[in-house]
Amino acid sequence: RFYRQMLDRLAKEQRKLSRKKKGSSNWHKQRIRVANIHEKVANQRKNFLHHQSKELVANFDAVVIEDLDMKGMSQALKFGKSVADNGWGMFTSFLKYKLNEQGKRLIKIDKWFPSTKTCSSCGSVREITLSERTYQCTC
């Protein structure tokens, strides 16, 4: 959400940059202003991801995540900016190294694993219709 918050300010500064004569001293100053906004967004995102990963590592012994296709998600529908802004790869790398330092585990599950169709106690897999919201196993 950090990129979305700074989008108006960034667009304004980039418009100013486009009006400057390329190579001039004012163009260089404006280019640095635009770069500072990009850097601020990156730092905000990194800070947020560090805090979230630290909280997960402190509370859980194992973290299970789905191995998502972020490129495909960004191209589908209109999720492009939101998917690019969440920093999923950075988040998983933060989780991985923090969990390894603590001697805990990070487990990646394939995106096609039928987690909602699998019973948590006996492990049986059953097809569920879209109208069913909860899984009911016979065990």
Side-chain angles (χ1 to χ4, degrees), residues 72-124:
M73 284 177 68
S74 68
Q75 293 171 349
L77 302 173
K78 294 187 180 180
F79 294 141
K81 286 180 186 172
S82 299
V83 171
D85 193 23
N86 70 21
W88 180 252
M90 192 185 306
F91 181 64
T92 55
S93 64
F94 288 169
L95 263 179
K96 189 174 185 175
Y97 90 79
K98 288 178 183 181
L99 287 166
N100 284 339
E101 283 179 351
Q102 301 272 327
K104 298 177 180 181
R105 294 185 60 198
L106 175 69
I107 303 165
K108 284 190 177 181
I109 301 296
D110 185 47
K111 67 179 175 179
W112 301 114
F113 180 74
S115 59
T116 56
K117 300 175 184 179
T118 307
C119 178
S120 60
S121 59
C122 69
S124 66

Side-chain angles (χ1 to χ4, degrees), residues 29-44:
K29 289 178 197 174
Q30 189 62 35
R31 188 181 55 81
I32 289 170
R33 284 190 197 107
V34 170
N36 285 339
I37 293 172
H38 280 294
E39 187 178 11
K40 182 174 181 171
V41 169
N43 288 339
Q44 287 174 323

Side-chain angles (χ1 to χ4, degrees), residues 6-41:
M6 298 294 272
L7 202 55
D8 293 334
R9 191 168 147 203
L10 182 63
K12 182 179 176 184
E13 295 299 323
Q14 284 177 328
R15 270 195 306 274
K16 286 182 186 176
L17 177 66
S18 71
R19 292 186 188 115
K20 308 284 183 205
K21 184 176 180 185
K22 194 169 184 178
S24 67
S25 61
N26 284 334
W27 179 82
H28 285 294
K29 289 178 197 174
Q30 189 62 35
R31 188 181 55 81
I32 289 170
R33 284 190 197 107
V34 170
N36 285 339
I37 293 172
H38 280 294
E39 187 178 11
K40 182 174 181 171
V41 169

